[in-house]
């Protein structure tokens, strides 16, 4: 939301130019489009839709910038490793490096693009235009099984099962060091890190409750271990955050301390 009061030195100038001069983060052309869309209002509620209108002294003008509309992804012929498929759902083995659904930095080449091509219009619309059929997600660099629904009934049913924790999710990860004890539970609310807004963290206040159960499957000397993590909740970066919080970050994870370490001695 942007607001400006027209003072004496702006009177008589084109309104779109006046607003652009005042709001440097918006181009004149962008303001013109927003005016013609009815997003610029005078304080009496009157929409200012003519960019060439003259600025009037004392007017208080407000611009409400609407949220961006998600782009509708297009089908793309991307190979899929399909584990199971029927008329209701499809299960794929997502490789590391593949983004699940389109976002600002990944408009194409996502799992959704691939599913739209393979399923040819059979994905549930509950997830919206940017994530049709998607019931859950995996991080870009995480590989594993992901289920997508082909109709709204299966989407609703799967979503309810995930919410009730009827579906168990188990992940394997290589972590630095050997967890002690070998079997344990990590609990702690996860929220945006106050030190780095790109990271999540275990926070003392706020955040969302998160519980991860882990068990050690194999040990590689004292340097690393293969662990299995089972989630009671599904928070952003949950395994990476929780394992890092107990001093055993995932190997190769640059965001949560998974850099290369030398063997002792």
């Amino acid at each position: 939301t942007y607001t400006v009061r027209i003072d004496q030195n702006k009177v008589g100038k084109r309104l779109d130019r006046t607003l652009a001069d005042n709001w440097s983060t918006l181009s004149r052309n962008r303001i013109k489009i927003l005016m013609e869309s009815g997003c610029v209002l005078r304080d009496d509620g009157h929409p200012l839709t003519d960019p060439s209108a003259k600025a009037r002294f004392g007017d208080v003008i407000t611009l409400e910038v609407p949220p961006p509309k998600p782009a509708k992804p297009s089908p793309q012929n991307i190979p899929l490793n399909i584990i199971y498929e029927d008329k209701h759902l499809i299960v794929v083995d997502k490789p590391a490096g593949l983004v699940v659904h389109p976002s600002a930095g990944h408009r194409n080449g996502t799992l959704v693009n691939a599913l739209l091509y393979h399923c040819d219009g059979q994905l549930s619309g509950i997830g919206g235009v940017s994530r049709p059929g998607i019931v859950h997600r995996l991080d870009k660099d995480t590989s594993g099984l992901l289920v997508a629904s082909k109709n709204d009934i299966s989407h609703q049913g799967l979503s309810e099962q995930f919410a009730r924790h009827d579906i168990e999710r188990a992940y394997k990860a290589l972590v630095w060091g050997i967890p002690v004890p070998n079997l344990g539970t990590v609990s702690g609310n996860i929220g945006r890190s106050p030190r780095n807004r790109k990271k999540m963290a275990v926070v003392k206040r706020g955040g969302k409750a998160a519980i991860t159960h882990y068990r050690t499957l194999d040990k590689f000397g004292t340097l690393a271990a293969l662990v299995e993590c089972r989630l009671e909740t599904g928070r952003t970066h949950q395994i990476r955050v929780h394992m890092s919080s107990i001093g055993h970050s995932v190997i190769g994870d640059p965001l949560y301390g998974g850099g290369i370490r030398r063997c002792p001695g």
Side-chain angles (χ1 to χ4, degrees):
T1 301
Y2 297 81
T3 303
V4 63
R5 182 182 182 87
I6 304 299
D7 54 28
Q8 190 64 51
N9 64 356
K10 297 184 178 71
V11 173
K13 295 182 178 180
R14 277 182 61 109
L15 196 52
D16 58 347
R17 184 182 297 277
T18 299
L19 298 181
D21 290 342
N22 192 79
W23 300 324
S24 59
T25 56
L26 298 171
S27 69
R28 182 178 172 186
N29 187 59
R30 173 71 168 144
I31 290 174
K32 179 180 178 181
I33 293 172
L34 290 169
M35 290 183 71
E36 293 172 344
S37 301
C39 297
V40 178
L41 306 175
R42 209 163 52 207
D43 55 348
D44 60 1
H46 177 75
L48 301 172
T49 58
D50 182 6
S52 64
K54 305 302 181 182
R56 303 191 318 178
F57 177 72
D59 278 352
V60 177
I61 298 174
T62 300
L63 165 62
E64 293 281 351
V65 179
K69 295 181 179 179
K72 186 176 181 180
S74 58
Q76 291 180 294
N77 187 7
I78 300 171
L80 290 173
N81 183 9
I82 299 172
I83 304 302
Y84 175 83
E85 183 177 10
D86 60 23
K87 65 179 181 180
H88 301 291
L89 55 85
I90 180 172
V91 179
V92 299
D93 187 359
K94 187 192 87 66
L98 181 64
V99 175
V100 173
H101 51 73
S103 61
H106 301 90
R107 293 297 186 190
N108 296 293
T110 70
L111 180 63
V112 164
N113 295 109
L115 289 172
L116 287 171
Y117 181 90
H118 176 81
C119 297
D120 192 20
Q122 298 180 51
L123 293 178
S124 165
I126 291 179
V129 296
S130 64
R131 54 184 76 186
I134 300 300
V135 181
H136 65 119
R137 61 181 293 274
L138 294 173
D139 290 343
K140 174 186 174 183
D141 293 320
T142 300
S143 61
L145 300 182
L146 189 143
V147 59
S149 54
K150 290 186 173 182
N151 53 59
D152 291 352
I153 294 176
S154 65
H155 195 134
Q156 187 70 34
L158 286 168
S159 296
E160 291 175 355
Q161 290 181 65
F162 274 107
R164 294 195 305 264
H165 311 301
D166 291 343
I167 297 176
E168 288 193 32
R169 288 167 289 171
Y171 301 85
K172 293 179 180 179
L174 283 169
V175 300
W176 291 114
I178 309 300
V180 178
N182 289 333
L183 181 72
T185 296
V186 185
S187 60
N189 285 19
I190 292 179
R192 189 67 60 181
S193 169
R195 297 181 179 179
N196 184 343
R197 303 304 294 173
K198 294 182 179 180
K199 298 174 62 174
M200 307 301 288
V202 174
V203 294
K204 295 181 179 180
R205 296 181 180 179
K208 295 181 179 180
I211 300 175
T212 302
H213 304 286
Y214 74 86
R215 67 186 181 100
T216 303
L217 302 178
D218 201 356
K219 301 176 183 178
F220 304 95
T222 59
L223 183 64
L226 175 66
V227 298
E228 178 189 83
C229 295
R230 291 182 177 267
L231 308 182
E232 284 195 24
T233 53
R235 309 307 179 199
T236 301
H237 299 173
Q238 179 171 325
I239 292 174
R240 298 160 67 189
V241 171
H242 270 174
M243 295 309 295
S244 178
S245 74
I246 62 172
H248 301 286
S249 57
V250 175
I251 293 175
D253 183 355
L255 192 58
Y256 294 98
I260 298 174
R261 297 185 182 180
R262 302 290 183 185
C263 295

